[in-house]
Amino acid sequence: MGQSELLQIEKDVLAALTERFGEKILGHDKFADQLSIFVAADTIFDLARFMKEDERTQFDLLSDICGVDWINCPKQRFELVYNFYNIPKKLRILVKTTIADSDAPSIQSVQPVYSGADWLEREVYDMLGIEFDGHPDLRRIITPEGLEGWPHRKDFPLTYEAPQFSHNKDNPPEIIK
Amino acid sequence: MTTATSSKTMTINLGPQHPATHGVLRVMLDLDGETVLKATPYLGYLHTGIEKTAEDKLWYKVIPMTDRMDYLAPMSNNLGYVLAVEKMLGLEVPEKVKWARALLAEITRLNSHLVWIGTHALDVGAMSMVLYAFRERELVLEVYEAVAGARMMSTYFRVGGLAKDLPADFDQRIQKILDILPERIDLYENLLTNNRIWIDRLTNVGVLSKEQALDLSLTGPLLRSTGVKYDVRKDHPYSGYENFDFEVPVGTKGDCFDRYLVRIAEMRQSLRIIKQALDGMPEGPYKADAPGIVLPDKQKVLTEMEAMIFHFKLITEGFKVPAGSYYQAIESPKGEIGYYMVSDGGTKPYRMRVRPPSYINLQALNPMVVGGLIADVITCIGSIDIVLGEVDR
């Protein structure tokens, strides 16, 4: 997809972020009316606080957090997309970061900054198994307790095997064909 | 119970099978006498894995699944999805399609708000409202049936246009709504707005401040009732909303009564938009001229070879969407519904993320009810306006 021109307000935000975080800001990309900024994963908490509190940014709404599983690139397997919105300036910016594949992928929670991130992070944890350090109540939210595996990962078995719960772990159901 | 504040403290379970939780919502309530100390919602009873299923469907086959999330506002859900895919394809649709979509999205808002006011009033004790509201909803469902053939799961929008042309009697049906509904909304207001019991049950119940609402990522009438004027239709017009003249109603106190007033005012604004869209509806085709993405006319498929080939290829293989990602937000009746679509250049979405307004707004339940009475929990659940199909997806 093609690149579009940055607006002045977007340039200001990008400049403020680059000034504060330097090389932690890995790049940016604009498609249609949408600016995405790529950042290093270890800076996400400070960045969220900066996005909310600095007078040059002031993104008052954390609209969404979305996790994507790029199973073919293990070094950047999990992509998290933080969707910040500034209501007075009518500006939406997607902040993207990646986490490498490991047994327990983790990132800092932004829940202390934006309370709305509580359920959003719980859903990402539930679906992708990414742990959010500092989250006050990290439990599964949508799938039932005792489900093993992370449904939105690309290697989660689809219709070929029945999902295994802890209660039938020793006595798994027959494979559905 | 871990922290008992007095000997009267107890935990009770509300739902999941309870008529006042609007579906299968389970809430654990910690109570001290009749005062709520904490409300913990448990979700997932209606989880169907829509986001995951979409990864295994051709781009155009995802549309029927979006209906089934917020089943009271199917056309809004369709609209968000098709706009996201059209943006990624770089596809422009004819003016008539934009206007018709906006009109039908506003009809959908009426549908959702009518069900909301009926069930909310029923929860609070105003029994007759639900009968009136469902009577008027019938007018809306008749429009759905006329355009799409189905009364609830319409699946009427397609990538690049509409499923079929608007029916011949479309104008009369919409005109009927425009004639009847304004006085019926007056009737609702006569019944409720100055009703002593209604005011007592709703005023100063579930109060949220502006800062709280923003911090909790709330959108839609819930956010607007606290005085924040955020409406995607105004701030980022899509599908021709820039052509319409309408107001964004906001509240001041952020309590349940303000949310009621905001939604009633929204219904009147929707009627305004519908009238403008009906009067100014441009002539033209009901789908874009994009072979390979939009199905050719059936008559051509039967008589011309190219059309037959396009039809066959589109149905069996689908179309490819350039690699990339895009977040499309629209204003659904519940709030900002967003589709974050990721494509790897193939014929199926690599990832579909829905920003579900009901799910995120439901987070406000605990702050709304803490310190209130147990009877107000029902008022607050009704006033958030959730659809569990969308909460759990």
Side-chain angles (χ1 to χ4, degrees), chain A residues 33-34 52 62-64 67 69 83 85 90 92 96 113 115-116 119 123 141-142 151-154, chain B residues 43-44 47 51-52 55 215 217 230 235-236 322 325-327 336 340 350-351 353 355 359 363 393:
Chain A
D33 53 352
Q34 201 159 78
K52 186 171 188 179
L62 174 67
S63 196
D64 193 19
D69 179 9
N83 190 329
Y85 191 72
K90 302 180 186 178
R92 184 183 301 285
K96 300 182 178 177
V113 187
S115 319
W119 284 15
E123 193 184 350
I141 185 162
I142 285 175
H152 277 187
R153 288 195 184 180
K154 291 280 179 181
Chain B
L43 314 174
H47 179 57
E51 290 178 8
K52 181 78 176 177
E55 293 171 9
D215 195 35
S217 306
Y230 170 53
D235 293 353
H236 300 277
S325 59
Y326 190 71
Y327 178 84
E336 174 194 322
Y340 180 71
Y350 185 80
R351 171 88 165 94
R353 160 71 184 168
R355 180 208 187 271
Y359 175 78
Q363 282 195 88
R393 283 156 291 135

Side-chain angles (χ1 to χ4, degrees), chain B residues 101-353:
Chain B
R101 282 176 177 177
L103 195 160
L104 288 164
E106 290 308 314
I107 291 271
T108 302
R109 195 178 310 279
L110 290 177
N111 179 9
S112 175
H113 283 3
L114 282 169
V115 174
W116 164 78
I117 194 171
T119 52
H120 185 37
L122 180 68
D123 292 346
V124 175
M127 188 75 196
S128 46
M129 261 317 296
V130 69
L131 303 173
Y132 292 129
F134 273 68
R135 178 183 64 187
E136 270 69 87
R137 182 180 177 234
E138 192 64 22
L139 296 169
V140 174
L141 292 184
E142 275 171 15
V143 172
Y144 277 21
E145 196 175 355
V147 297
R151 286 162 58 85
M152 263 181 95
M153 307 300 171
S154 52
T155 320
Y156 183 55
F157 301 160
R158 293 286 185 276
V159 176
L162 307 172
K164 53 186 174 183
D165 208 350
L166 295 171
D169 60 349
F170 184 71
D171 290 10
Q172 287 93 310
R173 284 177 189 276
I174 301 293
Q175 195 56 50
K176 197 174 160 196
I177 292 180
L178 288 174
D179 292 342
I180 293 177
L181 258 175
E183 57 187 75
R184 297 286 165 83
I185 297 175
D186 291 342
L187 175 92
Y188 306 157
E189 288 223 74
N190 278 340
L191 273 171
L192 297 175
T193 307
N194 296 318
N195 182 329
R196 189 74 243 163
I197 305 172
W198 182 253
I199 294 173
D200 283 351
R201 284 298 303 272
L202 267 68
T203 317
N204 293 327
V205 169
V207 184
L208 287 173
S209 71
K210 204 169 168 176
E211 291 71 28
Q212 253 182 321
L214 287 170
D215 195 35
L216 284 163
S217 306
L218 308 185
T219 48
L222 216 56
L223 178 62
R224 288 194 286 273
S225 73
T226 65
V228 181
K229 209 169 186 171
Y230 170 53
D231 187 317
V232 188
R233 292 176 293 172
K234 273 278 189 225
D235 293 353
H236 300 277
Y238 53 89
S239 194
Y241 271 104
E242 63 276 11
N243 302 317
F244 305 129
D245 175 31
F246 64 100
E247 307 281 323
V248 178
V250 290
T252 46
K253 283 160 66 183
D255 60 358
C256 288
F257 195 71
D258 265 16
R259 292 191 264 280
Y260 157 74
L261 292 178
V262 164
R263 287 200 178 97
I264 288 282
E266 269 183 17
M267 284 166 73
R268 294 190 195 279
Q269 295 301 327
S270 283
L271 288 169
R272 254 177 92 183
I273 299 174
I274 293 169
K275 184 162 183 356
Q276 292 169 45
L278 186 68
D279 292 347
M281 178 88 70
E283 290 293 313
Y286 67 92
K287 57 189 178 184
D289 181 21
I293 295 172
V294 180
L295 281 176
D297 290 329
K298 190 69 185 169
Q299 197 51 40
K300 281 188 179 171
V301 174
L302 297 173
T303 52
E304 291 175 20
M305 198 173 79
E306 285 87 1
M308 175 76 171
I309 294 169
F310 275 127
H311 182 96
F312 184 73
K313 281 192 69 138
L314 184 59
I315 292 293
T316 52
E317 285 175 14
F319 52 82
K320 287 185 177 166
V321 172
S325 59
Y326 190 71
Y327 178 84
Q328 172 73 49
I330 71 160
E331 188 72 27
S332 97
K334 311 284 188 296
E336 174 194 322
I337 184 166
Y339 286 83
Y340 180 71
M341 306 300 302
V342 182
S343 170
D344 59 353
T347 54
K348 293 171 184 172
Y350 185 80
R351 171 88 165 94
M352 172 169 97
R353 160 71 184 168

Side-chain angles (χ1 to χ4, degrees), chain B residues 83-98:
Chain B
L83 286 176
V85 178
E86 279 164 10
K87 196 83 175 189
M88 292 173 81
L89 285 164
L91 184 66
E92 270 293 315
V93 295
E95 280 298 306
K96 180 182 173 181
V97 175
K98 289 186 185 173

